[in-house]
Amino acid sequence: MSFDLPAYLSERRVIVDAALDKYLPTADQEPDNLHASIRYSIFCGGKRLRPILALAAADAVGCDFSHVTPLACALECIHTFSLIHDDLPAIDDDALRRGAPTNHVVYGEAMAILAGDALLAFAFELIAECRAFCPADRVLEALVMVAQASGTRGMVGGQVSDIECEGRTDVDEKTVASIHERKTGALLIASLVAGARLCGASGAQENALRRYGEKIGLAFQITDDILDLEGDAEKLGKPLGSDLKQDKATYPKILGIEESRTLANRAAEDAIAALSIFDEKADPLRALARYMVERDN
Amino acid sequence: MSFDLPAYLSERRVIVDAALDKYLPTADQEPDNLHASIRYSIFCGGKRLRPILALAAADAVGCDFSHVTPLACALECIHTFSLIHDDLPAIDDDALRRGAPTNHVVYGEAMAILAGDALLAFAFELIAECRAFCPADRVLEALVMVAQASGTRGMVGGQVSDIECEGRTDVDEKTVASIHERKTGALLIASLVAGARLCGASGAQENALRRYGEKIGLAFQITDDILDLEGDAEKLGKPLGSDLKQDKATYPKILGIEESRTLANRAAEDAIAALSIFDEKADPLRALARYMVERDN
């Protein structure tokens, strides 16, 4: 396949960044510190993976991707909210992310908590913007998917289990999988399926995208765990070994690094196989599956 | 008027509490600590003011209030999320609320942050439940009102301004009003207007409810400020003087206590006057306006 993923990613990042810039309150609006804090973390060099998955899911089902741009921006707001809160001293206590000081280091803990809160509320306002392009019923259904993926059954629940497993020696592969399915997998799947739902995808298309999302979620997380051990700290923008330091439940800890790598590659292949019902309009998703295991940041 | 407000409030509280109990995940579901933490703060004896305003707005426009019960529960989730986060050491650092230890004192800071986050996400899932009774368009419109009232232009923005005004001596009445319009007023107004919107209220009815909401918001906040100085600590469930201790911008600080009381009473009268287009079905709202200034907790 000759699909040019780097060009695709960079084109889509520009689109997502421009839309985020348009939607988010500017830092000259009151309270200016709050808006500056929000923009600091949003425009801190993220990969825009979740937005790009939502847009690529729209591509795959043959829909104009611009119809799901507000959803794409909402997903990045939710992802950023979760990073800001996870980095807080009371949670992971990380001072560096993407090569820059974390939100609370720059703006203080109170502002970081409130900036995260505001981003989460704003995300749902943004999803409702899809009403301009899509039937209200579908917008509500997509919104519920994203809310569920963010809450106690999704991201927040996974983060709680992750914290509770720190330092434990009896954590098995099933538990690690369950943590990551909720902490990262759920929102990746919601990005794809909510994007497709907005576009009126069929049940079979949604199921294929869900299966694809499960597999890339696994590939993404294992790769994350490996990069934390063997990556390039400069490219990652943070010091290596933070999982070890916090004694986190990770795939390399349970399976060893070679078996983890094999599992990640198999998951990427399974993700591509899940897309068999789609034509070449799903090539970006196929290329993204490979990117999940080949990325260096 | 012979409207029996205490009976009405206690009947509606039972309805709201039963609905919250039905909707919220139980504490035997994983992660059980997270769900226990959420339920601890939700069932900690709140007045259920925002839910009751949403239900009473539905009454006023002649709608079956049960159609807005999911919205009512969502409003309490958002209110509780804001209390949990405001009480955190990094923000107001309060150890006691409604006579009980605050969430982070019982469950730790990490869990308190995440429980608040989960409640905010869950609130939007709940509002979408109104789809069972109301057209999807209206549900989205109500949802956007609540999201805006919660975010940077509403509650979160007001909280940031409140923190930024602590200890300042140059704060005038206009600034205090602007803080409270966003920090408490916006969600009270959204409770009323979103409730009415779900029921298909007219523009005139929504405008009247908005005006009513602005006035009870003012009455509520001034009364809060006065109670913090002159209330009964036992009935309030927290020590007096916390605003003074944090050198908060309050009405008594700017206007003195007598002028503050006069302003609160006038606001309650204005609120009742704003309801002139409604018949006796708005009597609960009229009684609630008086309750705002007469309450002792």
Side-chain angles (χ1 to χ4, degrees):
Chain A
M1 224 181 307
S2 65
F3 184 77
D4 184 355
L5 186 69
Y8 177 87
L9 289 178
S10 105
E11 181 206 306
R12 289 292 164 99
R13 270 179 206 136
V14 169
I15 290 167
V16 170
D17 283 1
L20 282 164
D21 186 42
K22 184 187 81 180
Y23 286 126
L24 286 167
T26 51
D28 57 2
Q29 288 173 271
E30 286 295 324
D32 47 3
N33 260 332
L34 174 63
H35 295 133
S37 154
I38 287 171
R39 284 180 165 260
Y40 174 79
S41 287
I42 286 276
F43 295 110
C44 203
K47 292 186 281 292
R48 310 306 189 207
L49 185 57
R50 290 147 195 84
I52 288 171
L53 287 173
L55 301 179
D59 290 335
V61 303
C63 176
D64 180 345
F65 72 79
S66 70
H67 293 186
V68 305
T69 310
L71 167 72
C73 292
L75 293 162
E76 192 65 17
C77 289
I78 292 178
H79 176 56
T80 304
F81 130 75
S82 78
L83 299 183
I84 296 173
H85 281 193
D86 286 357
D87 287 338
L88 285 166
I91 305 189
D92 287 345
D93 195 16
D94 280 318
L96 209 61
R97 176 173 295 274
R98 297 169 186 161
T102 45
N103 194 293
H104 65 90
V105 170
V106 180
Y107 292 93
E109 269 184 70
M111 194 65 85
I113 294 167
L114 293 164
D117 293 347
L119 277 169
L120 181 56
F122 187 61
F124 295 102
E125 201 180 322
L126 269 181
I127 298 175
E129 291 269 337
C130 293
R131 183 69 192 92
F133 310 106
C134 308
D137 268 43
R138 282 192 213 154
V139 176
L140 278 175
E141 288 160 11
L143 188 146
V144 168
M145 288 179 197
V146 174
Q148 291 182 341
S150 306
T152 70
R153 276 161 293 180
M155 210 167 58
V156 171
Q159 174 67 5
V160 168
S161 301
D162 194 14
I163 294 169
E164 292 182 337
C165 282
E166 279 173 20
R168 275 174 49 189
T169 51
D170 60 336
V171 178
D172 57 11
E173 188 183 344
K174 204 178 133 200
T175 308
V176 178
S178 153
I179 290 171
H180 295 308
E181 276 161 23
R182 288 173 290 143
K183 191 174 167 181
T184 49
L187 195 62
L188 294 175
I189 294 170
S191 303
L192 294 154
V193 182
R197 176 70 56 92
L198 286 176
C199 296
S202 69
Q205 288 176 319
E206 286 192 9
N207 285 338
L209 289 168
R210 185 171 298 111
R211 177 96 183 134
Y212 167 86
E214 286 165 12
K215 294 300 176 181
I216 62 159
L218 179 61
F220 178 84
Q221 188 57 51
I222 301 174
T223 305
D224 237 36
D225 290 353
I226 295 173
L227 285 171
D228 189 60
L229 290 171
E230 298 199 335
D232 177 331
E234 202 160 318
K235 283 177 182 158
L236 288 169
K238 61 178 180 186
L240 299 188
S242 66
D243 292 338
L244 275 178
K245 209 176 72 192
Q246 292 175 64
D247 205 5
K248 289 263 189 196
T250 70
Y251 283 96
K253 183 178 170 188
I254 308 288
L255 299 178
I257 207 145
E258 278 320 306
E259 199 176 331
S260 297
R261 218 185 296 275
T262 306
L263 193 61
N265 283 321
R266 196 185 314 134
E269 283 162 34
D270 291 347
I272 293 168
L275 299 176
S276 60
I277 63 163
F278 292 102
D279 63 14
E280 76 287 351
K281 291 197 291 294
D283 282 352
L285 290 176
R286 295 185 180 99
L288 277 161
R290 272 180 217 99
Y291 166 76
M292 293 293 163
V293 289
E294 287 162 8
R295 68 201 172 88
D296 57 10
N297 74 0
Chain B
M1 222 181 309
S2 64
F3 183 77
D4 184 353
L5 185 68
Y8 176 87
L9 289 179
S10 101
E11 180 205 309
R12 290 292 164 100
R13 271 180 206 135
V14 169
I15 291 167
V16 171
D17 284 0
L20 282 166
D21 186 42
K22 183 188 80 177
Y23 287 125
L24 286 168
T26 50
D28 56 4
Q29 288 173 269
E30 286 296 323
D32 48 1
N33 260 331
L34 174 63
H35 295 132
S37 155
I38 288 171
R39 285 181 165 259
Y40 174 78
S41 287
I42 285 275
F43 295 109
C44 201
K47 292 185 282 293
R48 310 301 189 209
L49 185 56
R50 290 148 195 83
I52 288 170
L53 286 173
L55 301 179
D59 290 334
V61 302
C63 175
D64 180 345
F65 73 80
S66 71
H67 293 185
V68 306
T69 310
L71 168 73
C73 293
L75 293 161
E76 192 67 15
C77 289
I78 292 178
H79 175 56
T80 304
F81 130 75
S82 78
L83 299 182
I84 296 173
H85 281 194
D86 286 357
D87 288 338
L88 285 167
I91 304 186
D92 288 346
D93 194 16
D94 280 319
L96 210 61
R97 177 172 293 274
R98 297 170 186 161
T102 45
N103 195 293
H104 64 92
V105 170
V106 180
Y107 291 93
E109 270 185 70
M111 194 66 86
I113 294 166
L114 292 164
D117 294 345
L119 277 168
L120 181 56
F122 187 62
F124 295 101
E125 200 180 322
L126 269 181
I127 297 175
E129 291 269 337
C130 293
R131 182 68 191 94
F133 310 106
C134 308
D137 268 42
R138 283 192 211 151
V139 176
L140 277 175
E141 289 160 12
L143 187 145
V144 168
M145 290 179 195
V146 174
Q148 290 182 342
S150 308
T152 71
R153 278 161 291 182
M155 210 167 58
V156 171
Q159 174 68 4
V160 169
S161 300
D162 194 13
I163 294 170
E164 291 182 338
C165 282
E166 279 174 20
R168 277 173 48 186
T169 52
D170 60 336
V171 178
D172 58 10
E173 188 183 344
K174 206 178 129 200
T175 307
V176 177
S178 153
I179 289 171
H180 294 309
E181 276 161 23
R182 290 173 290 144
K183 192 175 165 180
T184 48
L187 195 63
L188 294 174
I189 293 170
S191 304
L192 294 154
V193 183
R197 177 69 57 91
L198 286 176
C199 298
S202 70
Q205 288 175 319
E206 285 192 10
N207 286 338
L209 289 169
R210 187 171 295 111
R211 177 100 185 129
Y212 167 85
E214 286 164 11
K215 294 300 178 183
I216 59 158
L218 180 61
F220 178 84
Q221 188 58 51
I222 301 173
T223 306
D224 236 36
D225 290 352
I226 295 172
L227 286 172
D228 188 61
L229 290 170
E230 298 199 336
D232 178 330
E234 201 160 323
K235 281 179 184 160
L236 288 170
K238 59 180 182 185
L240 297 189
S242 66
D243 294 338
L244 276 178
K245 209 176 68 191
Q246 294 174 63
D247 205 5
K248 289 262 187 197
T250 70
Y251 282 96
K253 182 178 170 186
I254 309 287
L255 300 177
I257 206 143
E258 276 321 306
E259 200 175 328
S260 295
R261 218 185 295 275
T262 307
L263 193 61
N265 284 320
R266 197 183 315 133
E269 284 162 32
D270 290 346
I272 293 167
L275 299 176
S276 60
I277 63 165
F278 291 103
D279 63 14
E280 77 286 351
K281 290 196 291 293
D283 282 352
L285 290 175
R286 295 184 179 98
L288 276 160
R290 274 183 215 94
Y291 165 77
M292 294 294 163
V293 290
E294 288 162 6
R295 67 201 172 90
D296 57 10
N297 73 2

